[in-house]
mmCIF file of all heavy atoms in Angstrom:
data_model
loop_
_atom_site.group_PDB
_atom_site.id
_atom_site.type_symbol
_atom_site.label_atom_id
_atom_site.label_comp_id
_atom_site.label_asym_id
_atom_site.label_seq_id
_atom_site.Cartn_x
_atom_site.Cartn_y
_atom_site.Cartn_z
ATOM 1 N N LEU L 363 -89.646 -12.640 -211.449
ATOM 2 C CA LEU L 363 -90.510 -13.778 -211.799
ATOM 3 C C LEU L 363 -91.840 -13.270 -212.373
ATOM 4 O O LEU L 363 -92.333 -13.789 -213.390
ATOM 5 C CB LEU L 363 -90.769 -14.603 -210.514
ATOM 6 C CG LEU L 363 -91.507 -15.897 -210.680
ATOM 7 C CD1 LEU L 363 -90.655 -16.870 -211.481
ATOM 8 C CD2 LEU L 363 -91.817 -16.527 -209.316
ATOM 9 N N PHE L 364 -92.345 -12.227 -211.755
ATOM 10 C CA PHE L 364 -93.619 -11.673 -212.189
ATOM 11 C C PHE L 364 -93.489 -11.095 -213.587
ATOM 12 O O PHE L 364 -94.365 -11.324 -214.459
ATOM 13 C CB PHE L 364 -94.013 -10.588 -211.180
ATOM 14 C CG PHE L 364 -95.461 -10.179 -211.283
ATOM 15 C CD1 PHE L 364 -96.464 -11.120 -211.131
ATOM 16 C CD2 PHE L 364 -95.806 -8.848 -211.542
ATOM 17 C CE1 PHE L 364 -97.797 -10.743 -211.209
ATOM 18 C CE2 PHE L 364 -97.114 -8.498 -211.630
ATOM 19 C CZ PHE L 364 -98.122 -9.430 -211.459
ATOM 20 N N GLU L 365 -92.410 -10.359 -213.823
ATOM 21 C CA GLU L 365 -92.217 -9.763 -215.149
ATOM 22 C C GLU L 365 -92.110 -10.881 -216.192
ATOM 23 O O GLU L 365 -92.664 -10.762 -217.313
ATOM 24 C CB GLU L 365 -90.958 -8.885 -215.184
ATOM 25 C CG GLU L 365 -90.738 -8.274 -216.548
ATOM 26 C CD GLU L 365 -89.835 -7.046 -216.529
ATOM 27 O OE1 GLU L 365 -89.388 -6.677 -215.442
ATOM 28 O OE2 GLU L 365 -89.633 -6.442 -217.591
ATOM 29 N N SER L 366 -91.399 -11.942 -215.830
ATOM 30 C CA SER L 366 -91.283 -13.058 -216.797
ATOM 31 C C SER L 366 -92.663 -13.611 -217.126
ATOM 32 O O SER L 366 -92.961 -13.937 -218.271
ATOM 33 C CB SER L 366 -90.448 -14.177 -216.193
ATOM 34 O OG SER L 366 -89.190 -13.694 -215.835
ATOM 35 N N SER L 367 -93.541 -13.701 -216.097
ATOM 36 C CA SER L 367 -94.890 -14.240 -216.338
ATOM 37 C C SER L 367 -95.652 -13.322 -217.295
ATOM 38 O O SER L 367 -96.349 -13.763 -218.199
ATOM 39 C CB SER L 367 -95.657 -14.345 -215.030
ATOM 40 O OG SER L 367 -94.920 -15.066 -214.115
ATOM 41 N N ILE L 368 -95.528 -11.988 -217.039
ATOM 42 C CA ILE L 368 -96.249 -11.030 -217.876
ATOM 43 C C ILE L 368 -95.758 -11.147 -219.324
ATOM 44 O O ILE L 368 -96.539 -11.203 -220.255
ATOM 45 C CB ILE L 368 -96.021 -9.584 -217.388
ATOM 46 C CG1 ILE L 368 -96.450 -9.435 -215.926
ATOM 47 C CG2 ILE L 368 -96.710 -8.589 -218.284
ATOM 48 C CD1 ILE L 368 -97.897 -9.481 -215.665
ATOM 49 N N ARG L 369 -94.429 -11.189 -219.484
ATOM 50 C CA ARG L 369 -93.856 -11.268 -220.825
ATOM 51 C C ARG L 369 -94.287 -12.592 -221.506
ATOM 52 O O ARG L 369 -94.557 -12.620 -222.708
ATOM 53 C CB ARG L 369 -92.334 -11.226 -220.781
ATOM 54 C CG ARG L 369 -91.775 -9.933 -220.212
ATOM 55 C CD ARG L 369 -91.757 -8.840 -221.264
ATOM 56 N NE ARG L 369 -91.311 -7.583 -220.682
ATOM 57 C CZ ARG L 369 -91.685 -6.405 -221.108
ATOM 58 N NH1 ARG L 369 -92.545 -6.273 -222.082
ATOM 59 N NH2 ARG L 369 -91.219 -5.306 -220.544
ATOM 60 N N ALA L 370 -94.341 -13.636 -220.701
ATOM 61 C CA ALA L 370 -94.720 -14.941 -221.243
ATOM 62 C C ALA L 370 -96.168 -14.883 -221.762
ATOM 63 O O ALA L 370 -96.491 -15.382 -222.856
ATOM 64 C CB ALA L 370 -94.569 -16.027 -220.189
ATOM 65 N N MET L 371 -97.039 -14.240 -220.972
ATOM 66 C CA MET L 371 -98.444 -14.141 -221.383
ATOM 67 C C MET L 371 -98.554 -13.279 -222.640
ATOM 68 O O MET L 371 -99.295 -13.623 -223.585
ATOM 69 C CB MET L 371 -99.293 -13.541 -220.262
ATOM 70 C CG MET L 371 -99.663 -14.543 -219.215
ATOM 71 S SD MET L 371 -100.906 -13.916 -218.092
ATOM 72 C CE MET L 371 -99.938 -12.981 -216.970
ATOM 73 N N SER L 372 -97.798 -12.188 -222.656
ATOM 74 C CA SER L 372 -97.822 -11.294 -223.818
ATOM 75 C C SER L 372 -97.334 -12.042 -225.054
ATOM 76 O O SER L 372 -97.939 -11.925 -226.136
ATOM 77 C CB SER L 372 -96.955 -10.085 -223.504
ATOM 78 O OG SER L 372 -96.944 -9.213 -224.570
ATOM 79 N N SER L 373 -96.296 -12.818 -224.915
ATOM 80 C CA SER L 373 -95.773 -13.601 -226.034
ATOM 81 C C SER L 373 -96.774 -14.657 -226.474
ATOM 82 O O SER L 373 -96.907 -14.932 -227.677
ATOM 83 C CB SER L 373 -94.464 -14.313 -225.654
ATOM 84 O OG SER L 373 -93.537 -13.375 -225.235
ATOM 85 N N ALA L 374 -97.486 -15.230 -225.505
ATOM 86 C CA ALA L 374 -98.488 -16.247 -225.835
ATOM 87 C C ALA L 374 -99.592 -15.657 -226.701
ATOM 88 O O ALA L 374 -100.070 -16.296 -227.641
ATOM 89 C CB ALA L 374 -99.077 -16.827 -224.542
ATOM 90 N N ILE L 375 -99.955 -14.396 -226.434
ATOM 91 C CA ILE L 375 -100.989 -13.751 -227.230
ATOM 92 C C ILE L 375 -100.502 -13.573 -228.672
ATOM 93 O O ILE L 375 -101.172 -13.863 -229.630
ATOM 94 C CB ILE L 375 -101.350 -12.371 -226.643
ATOM 95 C CG1 ILE L 375 -101.785 -12.467 -225.198
ATOM 96 C CG2 ILE L 375 -102.429 -11.694 -227.464
ATOM 97 C CD1 ILE L 375 -101.783 -11.142 -224.453
ATOM 98 N N ASP L 376 -99.243 -13.080 -228.771
ATOM 99 C CA ASP L 376 -98.664 -12.875 -230.101
ATOM 100 C C ASP L 376 -98.543 -14.197 -230.869
ATOM 101 O O ASP L 376 -98.781 -14.244 -232.084
ATOM 102 C CB ASP L 376 -97.278 -12.240 -229.982
ATOM 103 C CG ASP L 376 -97.383 -10.757 -229.622
ATOM 104 O OD1 ASP L 376 -98.529 -10.255 -229.589
ATOM 105 O OD2 ASP L 376 -96.343 -10.135 -229.337
ATOM 106 N N ALA L 377 -98.145 -15.238 -230.140
ATOM 107 C CA ALA L 377 -97.982 -16.544 -230.794
ATOM 108 C C ALA L 377 -99.320 -17.051 -231.305
ATOM 109 O O ALA L 377 -99.420 -17.744 -232.300
ATOM 110 C CB ALA L 377 -97.357 -17.516 -229.804
ATOM 111 N N LEU L 416 -101.292 -6.557 -221.410
ATOM 112 C CA LEU L 416 -102.163 -7.686 -221.115
ATOM 113 C C LEU L 416 -103.588 -7.544 -221.646
ATOM 114 O O LEU L 416 -104.407 -8.436 -221.442
ATOM 115 C CB LEU L 416 -102.225 -7.862 -219.577
ATOM 116 C CG LEU L 416 -100.899 -8.287 -218.932
ATOM 117 C CD1 LEU L 416 -101.011 -8.208 -217.410
ATOM 118 C CD2 LEU L 416 -100.509 -9.687 -219.377
ATOM 119 N N VAL L 419 -105.120 -10.510 -223.394
ATOM 120 C CA VAL L 419 -104.703 -11.829 -222.910
ATOM 121 C C VAL L 419 -105.842 -12.863 -223.075
ATOM 122 O O VAL L 419 -105.602 -14.062 -223.224
ATOM 123 C CB VAL L 419 -104.195 -11.748 -221.447
ATOM 124 C CG1 VAL L 419 -105.314 -11.478 -220.484
ATOM 125 C CG2 VAL L 419 -103.449 -13.000 -221.059
ATOM 126 N N ILE L 422 -106.161 -15.769 -225.714
ATOM 127 C CA ILE L 422 -105.612 -17.113 -225.518
ATOM 128 C C ILE L 422 -106.764 -18.133 -225.525
ATOM 129 O O ILE L 422 -106.625 -19.283 -225.959
ATOM 130 C CB ILE L 422 -104.786 -17.213 -224.214
ATOM 131 C CG1 ILE L 422 -103.521 -16.363 -224.372
ATOM 132 C CG2 ILE L 422 -104.438 -18.628 -223.842
ATOM 133 C CD1 ILE L 422 -102.717 -16.187 -223.099
#
Side-chain angles (χ1 to χ4, degrees):
L363 187 65
F364 196 58
E365 179 160 1
S366 303
S367 307
I368 302 290
R369 297 279 176 210
M371 279 192 277
S372 179
S373 302
I375 303 164
D376 285 353
L416 294 171
V419 71
I422 290 172

